Amino acid sequence: MATGEAGGRGPRGRDPARERELAPRAVAGLSEAAEVALTFDDNRLASLVFGQYDQNVAHLERRLGVVATALGNHVVVKGPPDSTERARRVLELLYARVRDGGGAPLTLGDVDGVIQESSLQGNLFSADEAPTNGERPSFDQIATRRRGGVRARNAAQDAYIKALRNHELVFAEGPAGTGKTWLAVGYAVSLLEQGHAERLILSRPAVEAGERLGFLPGDMREKVDPYLRPIYDALYDFMEARHVDRGLQTGMIEIAPLAFMRGRTLTNAVVLLDEAQNTTSMQMKMFLTRLGENSRMIVTGDPSQIDLPQGQKSGLVEAVRILDGVEGIGRVTFRDVDVVRHDLVRRIVTAYEADAQENRDEAPQRPTPSRRGPLP
């Protein structure tokens, strides 16, 4: 197991011996404490669950407010009864995930996702009402050949994957780091690999983020590559590099600026428009009307990061308003709490949202002009 020796201190500053010494005192301060002990069958898989130098266990302690001590394939969790029960569910889910995933290592984001998943399960079933067949509700997932199964990490991502499966056109709005683009590319790749689509078309409006880059050298692809780099990164996450390169050469994968969509009918394809908040009203209408038979369209964007010239209306904001309630269209809205990129990113987004709300609250209200004339 990849844990620090007793008395040793890992690179993240954890001292397992000191934590074991303090654990009884921490629990003793609780008005009501419980203890749960778990022993896993496979030492190697248990070490993956606990993480290098027990970093996953430490993360679990911080998130759930418990004290956990891991040794070999054994872990003891102490804390409030509800928290210890939830920690038990999380550890069992993590073990099942590494066992079914072929022994792939877990990240802190995976731990956060399972904590969210266990919260969903706890809301649906009490300990006495749990299904006897061992089946519990779990977040949905997408699967590709390179990545295997990629499971949603929170309820918003779970709703997003379900919307992608059930609707031909899906709008996804929300802050950076919520997985809007990454999951959309993964879902598109899965449809391509399963033969449900013949082409993958990825597009972005070519708008600079508050700075002028001037004229870029090269052919059309070289000119737009800087704007489409995030989509390339997601593609290489879900597909082997040689398959991406072959797909780009054969036209099975097409990455094009939004301006080149006019006049086309996109059939048998998965079409993704990223950074859609930077489309104009005319561009958005043009793009949405490209949808052809047996095709799916995904539109993602962050309305809080609009880089259009001052006074120009965002096509994404307008389209969401106009198409609200139209049959066959799905919409998922992510919030700052759904950020999965990094804990610090979540806090940054939350701080900006709070500041924006404070500015809106403090903005002076303009008096409503009276429709009547002056009193005599």
Side-chain angles (χ1 to χ4, degrees), residues 212-224:
R212 305 298 298 178
L213 301 179
F215 292 102
L216 298 176
D219 57 20
M220 187 271 289
R221 179 176 169 181
E222 291 172 334
K223 288 179 185 293
V224 301

Side-chain angles (χ1 to χ4, degrees), residues 50-122:
F50 301 151
Q52 189 175 25
Y53 298 102
D54 291 351
Q55 63 176 359
N56 295 341
V57 176
H59 192 64
L60 191 69
E61 289 178 324
R62 290 191 296 269
R63 291 296 305 274
L64 299 184
V66 297
V67 175
T69 304
L71 184 64
N73 63 336
H74 187 72
V75 59
V76 177
V77 182
K78 299 178 182 179
D82 291 344
S83 298
T84 54
E85 174 60 22
R86 190 174 175 192
R88 180 191 64 78
R89 290 200 304 267
V90 170
L91 289 167
E92 289 177 345
L93 286 169
L94 288 171
Y95 185 80
R97 181 165 298 186
V98 295
R99 182 191 60 207
D100 299 340
L106 296 170
T107 66
L108 295 183
D110 294 325
V111 178
D112 281 331
V114 172
I115 289 174
Q116 294 269 353
E117 190 173 327
S118 70
S119 177
L120 171 67
Q121 295 179 352

Side-chain angles (χ1 to χ4, degrees), residues 120 137-142 152 154-167 170 187 296 330 332:
L120 171 67
S138 60
F139 288 151
D140 210 338
Q141 67 176 3
I142 55 178
N154 50 50
Q157 287 192 352
D158 182 56
Y160 187 30
I161 294 176
K162 286 180 169 59
L164 292 174
R165 297 189 193 282
N166 298 327
H167 297 88
V170 175
Y187 180 71
R296 288 178 177 265
V332 177

Side-chain angles (χ1 to χ4, degrees), residues 52 194 243 315:
Q52 189 175 25
Q194 295 167 20
H243 293 157

Side-chain angles (χ1 to χ4, degrees), residues 141-151 160-161 164-165 179-194 196-197 200 202 230-239 270 272 298 300:
Q141 67 176 3
I142 55 178
T144 61
R145 294 170 189 165
R146 174 178 170 80
R147 297 277 309 194
V150 174
R151 194 176 298 275
Y160 187 30
I161 294 176
L164 292 174
R165 297 189 193 282
K180 304 182 304 294
T181 302
W182 194 74
L183 285 175
V185 172
Y187 180 71
V189 169
S190 71
L191 291 183
L192 197 65
E193 292 179 345
Q194 295 167 20
H196 297 313
L200 177 54
L202 308 168
I231 295 181
Y232 278 110
D233 293 342
L235 268 179
Y236 285 112
D237 265 350
F238 286 102
M239 297 180 71
V270 185
L272 168 63
I298 309 167
T300 68

